[in-house]
Amino acid sequence: MSYVDEVFDMVVEKNPAQPEFHQAVKEVLDSLRIVIEENEEAYRKDALLERLVTPERQLLFRVPWVDDKGQVHVNNAFRVQFNSAIGPYKGGLRLHPSVNLGIIKFLGFEQIFKNSLTGLPIGGGKGGSDFDPKGKSDREVMAFCQSFMTELNKYIGADTDVPAGDIGTGAREIGYMFGQYKRIRGVYEGVLTGKGLSYGGSLARTEATGYGLLYLTEEMLKCNGHDIAGKTVAVSGSGNVAIYATQKAQQLGAKVVTVSDSTGWIYDPEGIDVALLKEVKEVKRARLTEYAANRPSAEYHEGKGVWTVKVDIALPCATQNELHLEDAKALVANGVIAVAEGANMPTTLEATEYLLENGVLFAPGKAANAGGVATSALEMSQNSERLSWTFEEVDSKLKGIMVNIFHNMDDAAKKYGKEGNYVVGANIAGFLKVVDAMTAQGIV
Ligand code: NDP
Ligand code: 2IT
């Protein structure tokens, strides 16, 4: 049996009931086959892949907090410090009822390669909790965040592990967590990114993931003979990534006609009104029905459906496994040119395969959504030098990073005889740097 297959079987056996983690590992290991086989004996002897798929450290803890009625709740919380070969652990905190160890491990594993692709010195980590901020008062969210940080603070720091936002964790939650970290540890340092601008945040971090997604998509289209201007786009989700992806797509001359949330979706043939979307989601924290109620051109549909709309470009920006094989078939039947993942692993393996087989340009999340963490690393740099850069400065660095990521994955795909397969290209390009650093640092 090949080394890759052996390690994959070991992952499934040793990590039961973690299907998302298995899926992420399978995609990466399958892509790496060509590289591993060149050097199989040496890698096997060093247990390189076993070390790559096993987190350096996994923290599991309980978070007790009191609601507004005096009732005590207990949530499960996680921080997986996956790989520190190229820098301090870096990755977001997800607050969503679906969170479990397997989901945090899939996200942490992806983060290793994503962070490597940015070209910046950041290792891979991820954390979160099954706490649901939806429907909670600000005081309840603060109570949770303070209790969460009371435990987490022991394991993080500006030079060791720097968490940030993800699903359910935005500026409000980061603020409460930062305040509690400072209070307990007594140090004012860049231990979290995505901070508010008044206390060490970076301009353009809020926009970065969505903007970065469009910068990479634009470059991918350009290098394949297409212009993004005039294209019709389907976006899923309506959170941080979706909102700023929609905004940048419109700035580049495309028309975004859909957004969604966990209850339904919007079809707006005149193009999504970003100001209204921000008001509904960022200010009122309301549902998309509120958007439809205030926008005569918009249709609201219950359930799922954004991938049934005829578009040129699809940008899944909500969550994992939201674009299935039947969705990929519908997109292809409608003539889609490109799919770029704003979310982490939104496309199932079967759907990805179908899109690639049908000649759709496919940008995997670890490349396409790397603008968020890249700008987090820029926030860390600004905190270290105790300076803040202008919006234009950060935005232009972000654009440079995304264009570079596209070319790195494109070049890697070509070098290994898989031209146009950016899944393979991104995994190989991300892996090579990590492996080089791991090998240089010995058996640790
Ligand atoms: P937000 O919490 O801001 O928004 C999440 C959006 O996705 C909401 O519209 C939410 O709908 C929807 N959603 C979440 N879970 C589900 C679900 N199980 N089914 C259907 N819809 C769902 O998160 P972000 O925009 O920050 O994150 C979106 C994706 O992008 C995630 O995969 C995240 O890991 C990834 N990402 C985020 C980065 C960042 O910088 N924030 C960076 C890189 C990747 P509802 O409100 O109804 O729950
Ligand atoms: O998935 C991701 O890359 C993020 N949620 C952002 C991580 C970060 O550290 O900014």
Side-chain angles (χ1 to χ4, degrees), residues 185-200:
R185 294 278 290 259
V187 282
Y188 204 110
E189 60 174 10
V191 64
L192 293 159
T193 58
K195 298 185 292 299
L197 297 178
S198 58
Y199 64 96

Side-chain angles (χ1 to χ4, degrees), residues 57-135:
R57 193 173 298 102
Q58 307 183 54
L59 307 156
L60 278 70
F61 52 97
R62 77 168 185 232
V63 181
W65 59 277
V66 186
D67 72 16
D68 288 343
K69 296 189 184 113
Q71 175 66 50
V72 175
H73 298 263
V74 178
N75 285 102
N76 296 324
F78 310 86
R79 183 75 185 166
V80 173
Q81 299 180 329
F82 222 119
N83 190 302
S84 63
I86 63 173
Y89 309 108
K90 182 84 198 84
L93 296 168
R94 178 173 291 190
L95 298 181
H96 192 272
S98 63
V99 164
N100 57 40
L101 182 60
I103 287 183
I104 298 302
K105 279 168 66 181
F106 117 63
L107 290 163
F109 186 69
E110 287 286 289
Q111 201 82 43
I112 303 170
F113 307 98
K114 183 195 303 192
N115 293 5
S116 169
L117 281 169
T118 66
L120 300 167
I122 39 180
K126 198 82 185 192
S129 171
D130 56 6
F131 173 76
D132 186 359
K134 239 181 256 149

Side-chain angles (χ1 to χ4, degrees), residues 192 196 217 365 383:
L192 293 159
T217 303
N383 292 165

Side-chain angles (χ1 to χ4, degrees), residues 160-175:
T160 49
D161 184 355
V162 183
D166 192 77
I167 291 178
T169 306
R172 174 181 61 172
E173 291 74 19
I174 293 291

